[in-house]
Amino acid sequence: MENGDVITAQHWMTGRELKPKDMSGRSVAELLRKIHTSKALLDMLKRLGKEPLNPGTLLSQLKQAVFAVQQSSPLIQEGIKYLEDHLHEVHFGEKVVCHCDVNHNNWLLSEDNQLYLIDWDGAMIADPAMDLGPLLYHYVEKPAWESWLGMYGIELTDGLRLRMAWYVLSETITFIAWHKSKGNDKEFHDAMEELHMLMKRIVQ
């Protein structure tokens, strides 16, 4: 609107959620790139009062969440130490609109074969690695990362590898604290197992 307010509307659409195997496709890479490079989306989030998220703030929030649920697991502390040790290496100047929940259930393929990313409640202005990391770690085989990122439009550098690992790790520990706070025992233990496997992948 002319006064800077933003009005959002939802359109009912029939389609299907993507399956995990679909996530390695070109259409996902190209749509995510389109979202990350959208000035219109970025301007909209700014008008909504969103401030760019930096990794130091994210780490502080994560540590507070872990402290609140009294989780002193050596594995969690190892993960937090990794985040602390590499904090100075993951600052990235270009902040974009990140969806922050790129689970395959949030990708909708319509009946006319149009792909949509839905459920934008958690969107932030942040490092694009915040979306790229979870997507690649959970859905794309590591040998295919370079080609997938080529479809997205960037090169796989050591810096990007580190940033993706950092954000995936922070997301996983955040999920652990959240499930613990909600008393979701099964999900908590599943997330702890995921953290165990993730740490092995990151530090190898």
Side-chain angles (χ1 to χ4, degrees), residues 28-51:
V28 171
E30 291 180 346
L31 179 54
L32 191 59
R33 176 66 174 178
K34 184 176 181 180
I35 290 167
H36 285 171
T37 57
S38 171
K39 186 177 185 302
L41 275 177
L42 183 59
D43 289 344
M44 184 180 75
L45 258 64
K46 287 179 178 178
R47 290 198 299 271
L48 290 171
K50 296 281 189 178
E51 296 288 340

Side-chain angles (χ1 to χ4, degrees), residues 97-109:
V97 173
C98 290
H99 181 273
C100 299
D101 187 4
V102 291
N103 186 284
H104 67 276
N105 295 320
N106 284 329
W107 296 79
L108 180 70
L109 186 65

Side-chain angles (χ1 to χ4, degrees), residues 16-78:
R16 70 166 181 88
E17 296 174 351
L18 291 192
K19 296 179 173 59
K21 65 181 178 62
D22 299 325
M23 296 294 287
S24 59
R26 175 178 294 274
S27 59
V28 171
E30 291 180 346
L31 179 54
L32 191 59
R33 176 66 174 178
K34 184 176 181 180
I35 290 167
H36 285 171
T37 57
S38 171
K39 186 177 185 302
L41 275 177
L42 183 59
D43 289 344
M44 184 180 75
L45 258 64
K46 287 179 178 178
R47 290 198 299 271
L48 290 171
K50 296 281 189 178
E51 296 288 340
L53 179 69
N54 66 67
T57 300
L58 182 62
L59 181 55
S60 296
Q61 294 171 347
L62 179 154
K63 290 165 74 173
Q64 290 171 8
V66 170
F67 178 79
V69 295
Q70 299 180 331
Q71 269 302 305
S72 57
S73 158
L75 182 60
I76 293 176
Q77 296 307 313
E78 180 185 358

